[in-house]
Amino acid sequence: DPYEGIDDHQVHEMAELLDMRPSDPRLQKFMRELEEDKKRISETGKAWTTERYDSRRIDCKAPKMRPKPAPPSPPLLVFFAWWFEEGVKKYMELRYDMKAKVFHIILNKSVALRDVKIAGRDGEILQCWDLFA
């Protein structure tokens, strides 16, 4: 009997599911392999999808990952503003050069003041973190 030790109901159910005849050698081989796998798993005591690992083992620690490099700082910080003055819309572009630590101010998209150092109320020169919108 090619299906020795295998339930006849399982054989017929699998044959119907796979659209094969029980006498097909491919089905016989498949059912034998399936039964061998079931026996091997039941002998070892392991479940189909679950494996248990000893949490005290050294190799179970999470891998050490390199820290991500810091993003590069931008070379320029740019702020745009506009307002109405006497019914006319005015524009201002304020640029802060991070390396030179100076401001470039562009008024009404044409008048440019370059390399301007601006002092705050306390007399200290403004820096990039003194700017906020």
Side-chain angles (χ1 to χ4, degrees):
D1 181 24
Y3 296 110
E4 188 175 331
I6 303 173
D7 184 25
D8 288 338
H9 178 70
Q10 287 180 348
V11 173
H12 289 289
E13 190 176 298
M14 192 61 72
E16 187 179 319
L17 182 68
L18 298 174
D19 196 26
M20 297 176 142
R21 293 185 175 185
S23 61
D24 191 329
R26 295 177 299 168
L27 180 63
Q28 292 171 2
K29 181 181 177 192
F30 175 73
M31 292 301 292
R32 279 195 306 267
E33 289 175 353
L34 187 63
E35 192 63 27
E36 288 171 7
D37 286 346
K38 286 181 182 178
K39 285 181 182 176
R40 187 169 27 95
I41 288 174
S42 66
E43 288 172 0
T44 59
K46 290 186 180 178
W48 283 92
T49 58
T50 307
E51 298 240 356
R52 293 180 184 238
Y53 297 99
D54 184 7
S55 62
R56 296 176 301 242
R57 289 182 44 187
I58 293 173
D59 61 344
C60 289
K61 291 182 181 176
K64 292 184 179 179
M65 303 298 287
R66 291 183 188 165
K68 291 183 180 178
S73 60
L76 276 177
L77 295 177
V78 182
F79 297 90
F80 298 97
W82 61 268
W83 68 94
F84 283 102
E85 187 176 307
E86 297 179 3
V88 178
K89 192 172 186 179
K90 305 278 185 163
Y91 297 93
M92 181 178 79
E93 183 177 327
L94 180 64
R95 296 179 181 182
Y96 183 75
D97 188 340
M98 295 290 281
K99 289 184 181 179
K101 299 185 181 194
V102 293
F103 289 93
H104 300 283
I105 302 171
I106 301 170
L107 298 171
N108 293 327
K109 300 181 180 180
S110 61
V111 179
L113 304 170
R114 301 194 181 275
D115 301 333
V116 177
K117 294 193 177 195
I118 301 174
R121 291 180 183 171
D122 57 359
E124 296 285 323
I125 302 263
L126 295 183
Q127 297 190 13
C128 62
W129 48 79
D130 294 320
L131 302 175
F132 61 92

